[in-house]
């Protein structure tokens, strides 16, 4: 049976085995999917052994996406522009393709699941780290009217905008200098990971705007609550997680699974955990 896994440090919290097992059952694919732990400096040895044992593919989570970028034999365009790899796929010629499915997962969730428009809209991305870098090319391919990157350190946002200038028109600033009135705001900042929200002005949220937080949980994030109070539609990043997994599954198996049933299953599990902790 074909073997796949996700590698990370830590890795216990990963939902990837649940997601990919559900995809396999849904599509009638025979496969095994597990978790791999590696020490911070041990990525290569663990992955060498995994593929030497006949594995077909691997998902990569923190802190190894740069290690996977270096490890891959060949890169997709989106992985090359992102400078990071979250999926390795064994090819027929024995080479390992490195891909980055984070951006497609995000775009698919926003456009197909939430039904929000990106094309022709004013788009703001908060943060200038790896999460932003991994999603810029797919977002630009949706042809927004404007894509503005804002970061606590303005120079990092400006550098990122310059790096991607060949793929579309981007502007950049610090958090205190963001223009007003965006149709869609995506929070990819480190603030979300620590349970905080980026400190941005209320005028940034446009009339009838949408706000998307890449992190997820059983309850709305601080960023989502703030945006909702300003009248925005909001969503968290659980759909992005399932969407990027679906893209990886398609890359490996040539079959595109349905995201919605798996997303609803995970959302239900989060609600159960929340109810259990409230008792």
């Amino acid at each position: 049976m074909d073997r796949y896994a996700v590698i990370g440090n830590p890795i216990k919290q990963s939902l990837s085995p649940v997601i990919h097992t559900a995809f396999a059952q849904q599509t009638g694919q025979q496969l095994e999917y597990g978790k791999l732990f590696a020490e911070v400096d041990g990525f290569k040895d663990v992955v060498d052994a995994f593929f030497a044992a006949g594995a077909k593919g691997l998902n990569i989570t923190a802190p190894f996406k740069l290690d996977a970028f270096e490890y891959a034999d060949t890169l997709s365009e989106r992985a090359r522009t992102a400078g990071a790899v979250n999926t390795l796929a064994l090819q027929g010629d024995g080479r390992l393709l490195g891909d980055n499915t984070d951006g497609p997962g995000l775009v698919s969730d926003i456009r197909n699941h939430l039904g929000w428009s990106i094309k022709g809209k004013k788009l703001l991305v908060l943060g200038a780290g790896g999460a932003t870098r991994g999603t810029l090319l797919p977002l630009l391919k949706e042809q927004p009217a404007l894509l503005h990157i804002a970061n606590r350190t303005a120079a990092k946002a400006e550098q990122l905008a310059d790096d991607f200038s060949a793929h579309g028109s981007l502007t950049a600033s610090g958090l205190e200098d963001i223009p007003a009135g965006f149709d869609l705001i995506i929070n990819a900042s480190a603030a979300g990971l620590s349970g905080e929200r980026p400190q941005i002005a209320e005028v940034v949220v446009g009339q009838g705007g949408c706000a998307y937080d890449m992190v997820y949980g059983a309850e709305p994030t601080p960023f989502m609550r703030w945006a909702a109070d300003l009248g925005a539609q909001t969503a968290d990043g659980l759909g992005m997680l399932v969407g990027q997994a679906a893209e990886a599954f398609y890359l490996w198996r040539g079959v595109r699974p349905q995201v919605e049933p798996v997303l609803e299953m995970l959302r239900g599990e989060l609600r159960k955990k929340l109810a259990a902790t409230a008792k």
Side-chain angles (χ1 to χ4, degrees):
M1 190 176 292
D2 291 344
R3 290 180 59 219
Y4 301 88
V6 58
I7 186 170
N9 180 350
I11 197 59
K12 282 185 179 179
Q13 82 292 349
S14 176
L15 293 174
S16 292
V18 175
I19 294 170
H20 284 281
T21 299
F23 284 162
Q25 292 171 347
Q26 179 195 114
T27 58
Q29 296 287 303
Q30 301 296 313
L31 58 85
E32 293 179 359
Y33 192 104
K35 296 178 184 178
L36 296 177
F37 173 85
E39 298 295 345
V40 173
D41 60 353
F43 176 84
K44 185 179 185 301
D45 290 344
V46 173
V47 177
D48 279 348
F50 183 63
F51 282 106
K56 299 292 187 181
L58 188 65
N59 288 133
I60 300 93
T61 189
F64 297 123
K65 292 183 182 182
L66 294 179
D67 297 86
F69 181 84
E70 298 294 335
Y71 190 90
D73 298 312
T74 182
L75 297 166
S76 68
E77 181 193 20
R78 57 199 185 195
R80 193 178 301 109
T81 56
V85 160
N86 79 337
T87 305
L88 289 169
L90 187 66
Q91 305 297 285
D93 59 6
R95 294 194 300 168
L96 281 171
L97 170 67
D99 199 359
N100 192 311
T101 65
D102 286 333
L106 172 66
V107 168
S108 174
D109 190 37
I110 290 173
R111 187 185 59 203
N112 301 333
H113 175 240
L114 297 170
W116 299 351
S117 297
I118 301 174
K119 186 173 183 178
K121 300 296 184 180
K122 292 176 65 179
L123 174 58
L124 169 64
V125 182
L126 301 172
T132 296
R133 180 174 282 275
T135 56
L136 283 180
L137 183 62
L139 286 171
L140 286 168
K141 286 192 171 182
E142 292 296 304
Q143 300 177 307
L146 167 69
L147 197 158
H148 185 87
I149 306 167
N151 190 59
R152 190 171 58 183
T153 305
K156 287 186 178 180
E158 290 160 0
Q159 182 60 58
L160 199 51
D162 187 59
D163 289 346
F164 280 80
S165 60
H167 302 283
S169 178
L170 300 97
T171 54
S173 72
L175 295 180
E176 67 283 355
D177 296 318
I178 304 172
F182 283 90
D183 301 308
L184 171 60
I185 305 173
I186 298 171
N187 182 26
S189 70
L193 297 173
S194 54
E196 300 171 3
R197 71 165 180 87
Q199 297 303 305
I200 59 176
E202 294 182 357
V203 293
V204 167
V205 182
Q207 187 78 27
C210 300
Y212 190 100
D213 203 331
M214 282 193 186
V215 300
Y216 64 88
E219 297 182 286
T221 66
F223 172 71
M224 290 168 64
R225 291 197 298 270
W226 173 81
D229 286 344
L230 298 173
Q233 296 182 66
T234 64
D236 70 10
L238 188 64
M240 176 182 174
L241 175 72
V242 181
Q244 65 80 25
E247 195 72 22
F249 191 90
Y250 177 72
L251 186 67
W252 292 332
R253 310 299 295 183
V255 177
R256 195 171 290 281
Q258 291 183 340
V259 166
E260 196 71 36
V262 180
L263 182 55
E264 286 304 311
M265 175 191 71
L266 293 177
R267 192 69 74 189
E269 291 299 316
L270 286 173
R271 284 194 290 264
K272 284 181 189 175
K273 287 182 181 179
L274 180 63
T277 56
K279 288 181 179 177

